[in-house]
Amino acid sequence: MALTSRFRRLGIGRPGDPRPAGRRNLRMSFAVTFIAVVAVAAFLSPLLRSATIALKNTDQLTEIDAPLWPATPTTYELEGRTYDVYTVPIDGTNRELALVKKGQKESDFIDPANPDAGLIHWVGSWRSLNHVFRLDPQWNNFSDVWELIDYPRLLFNTIAIALIGMVGVLLSCTLVAYGFARFRFPGRNLLFTILIATIFLPSMVTLIPTYTLFVKLGWWGTWLPLLVPTFFANAYDVFLLRQYFLTIPRDLDEAAAIEGAGPIRILRSVIIPQAWPVIAAVAIFHIVYSWNDFLGPLLYLSAKPELQTLAIGLARFEGIHFSDPNRIQAGVLMTLAIPVVVFLVFQRVFTRGIVITGVEK
Amino acid sequence: MTATTLPRRRFRALRLSPLARREALWGYLFLSPWIIGFLVFIFVPMIVTFVFTFTNVNLLQDVPLAFVGLDNWQRLLSDAGTWRSLGVTLKFAALQLPVMIVVPFAVALLLNSPHLRGTGIFRVLFFMPYVVPFVAGVFVWQSMLNSETGWINGALERLGVAEPPNWLNDTGWIYPGLVLLGIWGIGGGVIVNLAGLKSIPSELYDAARVDGAGWWAQLRNVTIPLMSPVIFYSLILSIVEVLQYFLVPLVLKNGNGEPGGATLFYNLYLYKTFYTFQNMSYGSTLAWLLFGITVLVTFFVFRISRRFVYYAGER
């Protein structure tokens, strides 16, 4: 121990050391952070690409020398005629001039800022010149998609299914986790093992009879097959809640029990008030899960466009408008915006939840 | 004597005092939503799926329900489509599994580096795409991987690659393409790996450094052995997941298996059998084969895990 502390005083960093000292470490910091910046930029670049496409129209997307950002060539109107504006190098400076008379070897330009100055003669091929672009984002792509896929309806459906399911998951999983965390009964370990084993069960092995059952019950084409099962708990969330409940000291339970509180009362006034972080994590997990869910809505709602969710609506939209990349990417952004914002707002709660399920096993 | 007392003693242990019986009753009561759910949505359906394999349930045809013996299982053995689709899934898994283990681990190493500044921001940014609904992710990456206009090929061309691959339409490149397309899903693995790395006691690194171990030696002899339980956990979950892979090709290629049947994954074949053709019985047979394969593979990995997983402490 004495040795390690001496190393530390010498400025030889250890993992987790917040500020390693020395010039060599400064260089290391720069290198490692640079790698991280490049990696994260590459990792998120598809999102940037999606945004730039969503803000363009077809012409802007296919224009040969168009820049990355949504841009339109600047034009200049004079006496009812429209001229393209180019960047022209004259006497060592670049000037933005409107091309009025095209020629093979030499052309005539006019300065839009000072049209009265008359024609400016320039020697050289105008084809070698670059257009002047101005920022011209096509926000209407978003409003088009809003109407084309009936976005308000899909958004309402997605939110409603996510929130009702969230209530179901919170109610059922809290009760079950409380049962596993606080009560002793024969077969508890066996039941818990079975619960965990269901995580590894391929869903297809239970899906066919469940699907057949829902069809026979007349639930096909309704939200019921998506909502009813959430009220019967699931392994992930029960596990997460139970792990957290186990960390809450029993002293308070026992004190409440001595004062005559029953199990439900203890759950409501002792356990739940102390478990908000994990309850919030489960709630957010479910919203993200539900937003992402594709198979369920696909199986049960494919014939009912008015009941579908954003995920299905987006896939359907892509199937019809596959040759319209601008609107597809606008739809993509409108589908992913809410879960991403929810994550960014609650990211601490979210990552803590994953750590509990993933590591403390 | 012993033969009679032993069972009796076990029996007595199960007879609970009134107080313990009350506690047990409450326990079962709280568990009841899950127990009912397990029976109705998991246990009984599993049995019914198995029974279905011996029948002729087809929701499209109005034939009387009948037991057909082993017909479905015989069809399974002779059905080239099944084995081809299983091959597709295994081929993809061979590429996807290493990536899903190594990439999150590498990103977590980067995020855990004491030299990294702004760790919190990087952690959020690496995790963020994990919450993007996968349908949206598929369309984003489909555009990104476009052979002519996509940025990936644009970058490759700039790096001097004369003929960059036609990722999603070439049988030779479709699996790397799908792996890239799924890269936004690493977030969960990154967080789990990162938490694992943080739990490694720093004294071990100090000791290794005193012994003259460099970065690579520390990684090999300290980090990887201590991370083996986390890696093992990720491996099991990834295996179960990859064996069920089919939603991405379903969305990407409308489930038609293009190019050249290379995306007709096992679960996609299963899905089409039971949903498109409504053949519940043959679909069930395929589902049970998948279940069997999953159990066998996880069992096998658990067996060999004793050799490479190091559990600090009691285990």
CSV table of all heavy atoms in Angstrom, one decimal, chain A residues 4-5 9 11 52 62 67 100 122-123 140-142 185 211 214 218 226 281 297 313 317 342 349 354 361:
chain,number,residue,atom,x,y,z
A,4,THR,N,2.1,1.8,-3.4
A,4,THR,CA,1.2,2.4,-4.4
A,4,THR,C,1.0,3.8,-4.2
A,4,THR,O,0.9,4.6,-5.1
A,4,THR,CB,-0.1,1.6,-4.4
A,4,THR,OG1,-0.6,1.7,-3.1
A,4,THR,CG2,0.0,0.2,-4.9
A,5,SER,N,1.0,4.2,-2.9
A,5,SER,CA,0.7,5.7,-2.6
A,5,SER,C,1.9,6.5,-3.1
A,5,SER,O,1.8,7.6,-3.5
A,5,SER,CB,0.4,5.9,-1.2
A,5,SER,OG,1.5,5.5,-0.4
A,9,ARG,N,2.0,9.6,-5.7
A,9,ARG,CA,2.6,10.9,-5.5
A,9,ARG,C,3.6,11.2,-6.6
A,9,ARG,O,3.7,12.4,-7.0
A,9,ARG,CB,3.4,10.9,-4.1
A,9,ARG,CG,2.8,11.9,-3.2
A,9,ARG,CD,3.5,11.9,-1.9
A,9,ARG,NE,3.2,10.7,-1.1
A,9,ARG,CZ,4.2,9.9,-0.6
A,9,ARG,NH1,5.5,10.2,-0.7
A,9,ARG,NH2,3.9,8.8,0.1
A,11,GLY,N,3.0,10.8,-9.5
A,11,GLY,CA,2.2,11.3,-10.6
A,11,GLY,C,2.0,10.2,-11.6
A,11,GLY,O,1.6,10.4,-12.8
A,52,THR,N,-29.8,16.0,-42.7
A,52,THR,CA,-29.5,16.8,-43.9
A,52,THR,C,-30.4,16.4,-45.0
A,52,THR,O,-30.9,17.3,-45.8
A,52,THR,CB,-28.1,16.8,-44.3
A,52,THR,OG1,-27.8,15.4,-44.6
A,52,THR,CG2,-27.1,17.3,-43.3
A,62,THR,N,-30.1,15.8,-55.4
A,62,THR,CA,-29.4,15.3,-56.6
A,62,THR,C,-28.5,16.3,-57.3
A,62,THR,O,-27.8,15.9,-58.1
A,62,THR,CB,-30.5,14.7,-57.6
A,62,THR,OG1,-31.5,15.8,-57.8
A,62,THR,CG2,-31.2,13.5,-57.1
A,67,PRO,N,-23.7,21.4,-51.7
A,67,PRO,CA,-23.1,21.2,-50.5
A,67,PRO,C,-23.9,20.2,-49.6
A,67,PRO,O,-25.0,19.8,-49.9
A,67,PRO,CB,-23.0,22.6,-49.8
A,67,PRO,CG,-24.1,23.3,-50.4
A,67,PRO,CD,-24.3,22.8,-51.8
A,100,VAL,N,-24.8,36.6,-67.1
A,100,VAL,CA,-25.9,37.1,-68.0
A,100,VAL,C,-25.6,36.6,-69.5
A,100,VAL,O,-26.5,36.3,-70.2
A,100,VAL,CB,-26.0,38.6,-68.0
A,100,VAL,CG1,-26.7,39.0,-66.7
A,100,VAL,CG2,-24.7,39.3,-68.1
A,122,TRP,N,-15.3,38.8,-68.3
A,122,TRP,CA,-14.4,37.9,-67.6
A,122,TRP,C,-13.9,36.8,-68.6
A,122,TRP,O,-14.7,36.3,-69.3
A,122,TRP,CB,-15.1,37.2,-66.4
A,122,TRP,CG,-14.2,36.2,-65.6
A,122,TRP,CD1,-13.2,36.5,-64.8
A,122,TRP,CD2,-14.3,34.8,-65.7
A,122,TRP,NE1,-12.7,35.4,-64.3
A,122,TRP,CE2,-13.3,34.3,-64.8
A,122,TRP,CE3,-15.1,33.9,-66.3
A,122,TRP,CZ2,-13.1,33.0,-64.6
A,122,TRP,CZ3,-14.9,32.5,-66.1
A,122,TRP,CH2,-13.9,32.1,-65.2
A,123,VAL,N,-12.6,36.6,-68.6
A,123,VAL,CA,-12.0,35.6,-69.5
A,123,VAL,C,-11.8,34.3,-68.8
A,123,VAL,O,-11.3,34.3,-67.7
A,123,VAL,CB,-10.7,36.1,-70.1
A,123,VAL,CG1,-10.1,35.1,-71.0
A,123,VAL,CG2,-10.9,37.5,-70.8
A,140,ASN,N,-41.0,21.9,-44.9
A,140,ASN,CA,-42.3,21.4,-45.3
A,140,ASN,C,-42.3,19.8,-45.4
A,140,ASN,O,-43.3,19.2,-45.4
A,140,ASN,CB,-42.8,22.0,-46.7
A,140,ASN,CG,-41.8,21.7,-47.8
A,140,ASN,OD1,-40.6,22.0,-47.6
A,140,ASN,ND2,-42.2,21.1,-48.9
A,141,ASN,N,-41.0,19.2,-45.5
A,141,ASN,CA,-41.0,17.8,-45.5
A,141,ASN,C,-41.7,17.2,-44.3
A,141,ASN,O,-42.4,16.2,-44.3
A,141,ASN,CB,-39.5,17.3,-45.5
A,141,ASN,CG,-38.9,17.4,-46.9
A,141,ASN,OD1,-39.7,17.4,-47.9
A,141,ASN,ND2,-37.6,17.5,-47.0
A,142,PHE,N,-41.4,17.9,-43.1
A,142,PHE,CA,-41.9,17.5,-41.9
A,142,PHE,C,-43.5,17.6,-41.8
A,142,PHE,O,-44.2,16.7,-41.4
A,142,PHE,CB,-41.3,18.2,-40.7
A,142,PHE,CG,-39.9,17.8,-40.5
A,142,PHE,CD1,-38.8,18.6,-41.1
A,142,PHE,CD2,-39.5,16.7,-39.8
A,142,PHE,CE1,-37.5,18.2,-40.9
A,142,PHE,CE2,-38.2,16.3,-39.6
A,142,PHE,CZ,-37.2,17.1,-40.2
A,185,PHE,N,-41.3,-18.2,1.4
A,185,PHE,CA,-42.4,-19.2,1.1
A,185,PHE,C,-41.7,-20.4,0.4
A,185,PHE,O,-40.7,-20.2,-0.3
A,185,PHE,CB,-43.5,-18.7,0.3
A,185,PHE,CG,-43.1,-17.8,-0.9
A,185,PHE,CD1,-42.8,-18.4,-2.1
A,185,PHE,CD2,-43.0,-16.4,-0.8
A,185,PHE,CE1,-42.5,-17.7,-3.2
A,185,PHE,CE2,-42.6,-15.7,-1.9
A,185,PHE,CZ,-42.3,-16.3,-3.1
A,211,TYR,N,-50.9,-16.1,-30.1
A,211,TYR,CA,-51.5,-15.4,-31.3
A,211,TYR,C,-52.8,-16.1,-31.6
A,211,TYR,O,-53.9,-15.4,-31.8
A,211,TYR,CB,-50.5,-15.5,-32.5
A,211,TYR,CG,-51.1,-15.0,-33.8
A,211,TYR,CD1,-51.2,-13.6,-34.0
A,211,TYR,CD2,-51.6,-15.9,-34.7
A,211,TYR,CE1,-51.7,-13.1,-35.2
A,211,TYR,CE2,-52.1,-15.4,-35.9
A,211,TYR,CZ,-52.2,-14.0,-36.1
A,211,TYR,OH,-52.7,-13.6,-37.3
A,214,PHE,N,-55.5,-15.1,-29.0
A,214,PHE,CA,-56.0,-13.7,-29.2
A,214,PHE,C,-56.9,-13.6,-30.4
A,214,PHE,O,-57.9,-12.9,-30.4
A,214,PHE,CB,-54.8,-12.7,-29.3
A,214,PHE,CG,-54.0,-12.5,-28.0
A,214,PHE,CD1,-52.7,-12.3,-28.0
A,214,PHE,CD2,-54.7,-12.5,-26.8
A,214,PHE,CE1,-52.0,-12.1,-26.9
A,214,PHE,CE2,-54.0,-12.3,-25.6
A,214,PHE,CZ,-52.7,-12.1,-25.6
A,218,GLY,N,-61.1,-12.8,-30.4
A,218,GLY,CA,-61.6,-11.6,-31.2
A,218,GLY,C,-60.8,-10.4,-30.8
A,218,GLY,O,-61.3,-9.3,-31.0
A,226,LEU,N,-51.6,-6.2,-27.0
A,226,LEU,CA,-50.4,-5.5,-26.6
A,226,LEU,C,-50.4,-5.1,-25.2
A,226,LEU,O,-49.4,-4.9,-24.5
A,226,LEU,CB,-50.2,-4.3,-27.5
A,226,LEU,CG,-50.3,-4.5,-29.0
A,226,LEU,CD1,-50.1,-3.2,-29.7
A,226,LEU,CD2,-49.2,-5.4,-29.4
A,281,ALA,N,-36.8,4.2,-13.5
A,281,ALA,CA,-36.1,3.4,-14.6
A,281,ALA,C,-37.0,2.5,-15.3
A,281,ALA,O,-36.9,2.4,-16.6
A,281,ALA,CB,-34.9,2.7,-14.0
A,297,PRO,N,-47.4,-4.9,-32.7
A,297,PRO,CA,-48.3,-4.1,-33.5
A,297,PRO,C,-48.5,-4.6,-34.9
A,297,PRO,O,-49.5,-4.6,-35.5
A,297,PRO,CB,-47.7,-2.7,-33.5
A,297,PRO,CG,-46.8,-2.6,-32.3
A,297,PRO,CD,-46.3,-4.0,-32.1
A,313,GLY,N,-46.3,2.7,-38.7
A,313,GLY,CA,-46.7,3.7,-39.7
A,313,GLY,C,-45.5,4.1,-40.5
A,313,GLY,O,-45.6,4.3,-41.7
A,317,PHE,N,-45.1,3.7,-44.5
A,317,PHE,CA,-44.8,4.9,-45.3
A,317,PHE,C,-43.6,4.6,-46.2
A,317,PHE,O,-43.7,5.0,-47.4
A,317,PHE,CB,-44.5,6.1,-44.3
A,317,PHE,CG,-44.2,7.4,-45.0
A,317,PHE,CD1,-45.2,8.1,-45.6
A,317,PHE,CD2,-42.9,7.8,-45.1
A,317,PHE,CE1,-45.0,9.3,-46.3
A,317,PHE,CE2,-42.6,9.0,-45.8
A,317,PHE,CZ,-43.7,9.8,-46.4
A,342,VAL,N,-36.6,11.8,-24.3
A,342,VAL,CA,-36.8,11.1,-23.0
A,342,VAL,C,-35.5,10.6,-22.4
A,342,VAL,O,-35.2,10.8,-21.2
A,342,VAL,CB,-37.9,10.0,-23.1
A,342,VAL,CG1,-37.9,9.2,-21.9
A,342,VAL,CG2,-39.3,10.6,-23.4
A,349,VAL,N,-31.1,8.1,-14.7
A,349,VAL,CA,-32.0,7.0,-14.2
A,349,VAL,C,-31.9,5.8,-15.1
A,349,VAL,O,-31.8,4.7,-14.7
A,349,VAL,CB,-33.5,7.6,-14.3
A,349,VAL,CG1,-34.4,6.5,-14.0
A,349,VAL,CG2,-33.6,8.8,-13.5
A,354,ILE,N,-29.8,0.0,-16.2
A,354,ILE,CA,-29.1,-1.0,-16.9
A,354,ILE,C,-28.0,-1.7,-16.1
A,354,ILE,O,-27.8,-2.9,-16.2
A,354,ILE,CB,-28.5,-0.4,-18.2
A,354,ILE,CG1,-29.7,-0.1,-19.1
A,354,ILE,CG2,-27.6,-1.4,-18.9
A,354,ILE,CD1,-29.3,0.4,-20.4
A,361,LYS,N,-25.9,-9.2,-11.1
A,361,LYS,CA,-26.6,-10.5,-11.1
A,361,LYS,C,-26.0,-11.6,-10.2
A,361,LYS,O,-24.8,-11.7,-10.1
A,361,LYS,CB,-26.6,-11.0,-12.6
A,361,LYS,CG,-27.9,-11.6,-12.9
A,361,LYS,CD,-27.8,-12.0,-14.4
A,361,LYS,CE,-28.4,-13.4,-14.5
A,361,LYS,NZ,-28.9,-13.8,-15.6
